Amino acid sequence: MDLGEFLQARRALITPQSAGLRGGGRRRVPGLRREELAQLAGISVEYYQRLEQGRAKHPSEEVLDALAEVLRLDEVERRHLHVLARPARRHGTSAPGTTAPDTPAVRPELVRLLEQVKVPAMVMTDRFDVLTLNPIARRLFVPAAALPQGAWNLARFLFLDPEGREFYVAWEEVAAATVGQLRATAGLHPGDRELADLIAGLRAHSAAFARLWSRADVEIRTYGTKSFRHPAVGTLAFSYETLGLTGDDRLRLVTLTPVPDGPTEAALHLLATWAEEPLAPAVV
């Protein structure tokens, strides 16, 4: 999504009344009109139209901050607005239609670290490609156990696999957060062909993804809680931490720690016992 699309989607969420304006009769567009947003931001209507049409290059920090204030953007959305407005500053930007560099292999030292971690842990990209999981994580994420390492994408599983909707207890919340994080990644890496193909495929084959994508929400989550329905041990609740890895800003280390004083700890102990047993050969 470019700057104009993001601005349109955000102004559609701001009502004239909430912005201190009179609604005034029937309106053909939801939210604020272009001229109303321009007025509130203190810029000319012509200049704002050029911004939405992609004809105004390098808007000033003051203009972007004024727009963010009127649109009531949070910190993550503000950063996203600035990233979209300054393509030259995007990380990993490449020419349109090019393919981003191949994702580097996970270092052997990192794989050994995962194997020593006693809770489920994995390394994934900012496209939600799961590159490697430790043994207990492979027992937790049952669908991943049948696939070769690096062949599982959490976004595809979430939206396109019927098991995904059943696996995540708070599916709607997880789905919205996943779309918001993919949008943030797309803003930073517009030349990533794999990411573009992933988003296009999800929009084409998942009505839920298409609906959430049209909202233009942007989100970054580095910690929180998630609950899963495991087919063998029932519902499990975890606190998760997402950590960036030095040397590649597109890789993430994710750990899942069981919520204390609950059945998850006992279930995780059982999964750990199973993790000591060899997995069936991966299906290629």
Side-chain angles (χ1 to χ4, degrees), residues 92-224:
T93 300
S94 52
T98 61
T99 301
D102 292 336
T103 302
V106 179
R107 291 181 288 109
E109 297 84 358
L110 190 54
V111 174
R112 289 197 294 271
L113 170 64
L114 290 184
E115 292 174 349
Q116 297 302 314
V117 175
K118 302 303 181 183
V119 297
M122 68 183 75
V123 174
M124 67 180 186
T125 69
D126 54 7
R127 294 188 297 255
F128 291 95
D129 297 317
V130 178
L131 303 182
T132 186
L133 306 91
N134 66 358
I136 191 170
R138 289 175 68 83
R139 292 297 186 178
L140 172 62
F141 294 95
V142 177
L147 295 172
Q149 292 276 3
W152 198 40
N153 180 276
L154 282 175
R156 287 194 181 95
F157 173 66
L158 183 68
F159 287 100
L160 302 182
D161 192 327
E163 289 185 70
R165 186 176 286 271
E166 177 63 22
F167 184 71
Y168 291 94
V169 174
W171 187 89
E172 286 287 349
E173 179 184 348
V174 175
T178 300
V179 174
Q181 291 178 92
L182 282 175
R183 180 174 292 286
T185 302
L188 289 169
H189 302 282
D192 186 339
R193 177 53 55 193
E194 285 188 46
L195 177 61
D197 290 344
L198 170 66
I199 293 170
L202 291 172
R203 293 178 72 181
H205 299 292
S206 170
F209 184 92
R211 170 178 55 83
L212 291 168
W213 185 262
S214 68
R215 289 177 8 189
D217 293 336
V218 184
E219 188 168 356
I220 299 294
R221 290 193 181 186
T222 58
Y223 63 92

Side-chain angles (χ1 to χ4, degrees), residues 69-85:
E69 193 68 28
V70 176
L71 295 173
R72 301 179 181 178
L73 304 185
D74 61 25
E75 183 179 348
V76 172
E77 292 166 337
R78 283 174 179 260
R79 287 200 301 267
H80 187 65
L81 175 66
H82 282 258
V83 165
L84 293 179

Side-chain angles (χ1 to χ4, degrees), residues 47-101:
Y47 183 69
Y48 179 75
Q49 288 177 331
R50 289 167 57 201
L51 280 174
E52 278 204 359
Q53 294 167 0
R55 296 187 294 112
K57 306 299 182 183
H58 307 297
S60 69
E61 300 286 330
E62 292 75 15
V63 166
L64 295 175
D65 288 340
L67 290 171
E69 193 68 28
V70 176
L71 295 173
R72 301 179 181 178
L73 304 185
D74 61 25
E75 183 179 348
V76 172
E77 292 166 337
R78 283 174 179 260
R79 287 200 301 267
H80 187 65
L81 175 66
H82 282 258
V83 165
L84 293 179
R86 305 289 169 78
R89 296 184 182 179
R90 303 190 200 185
H91 301 298
T93 300
S94 52
T98 61
T99 301

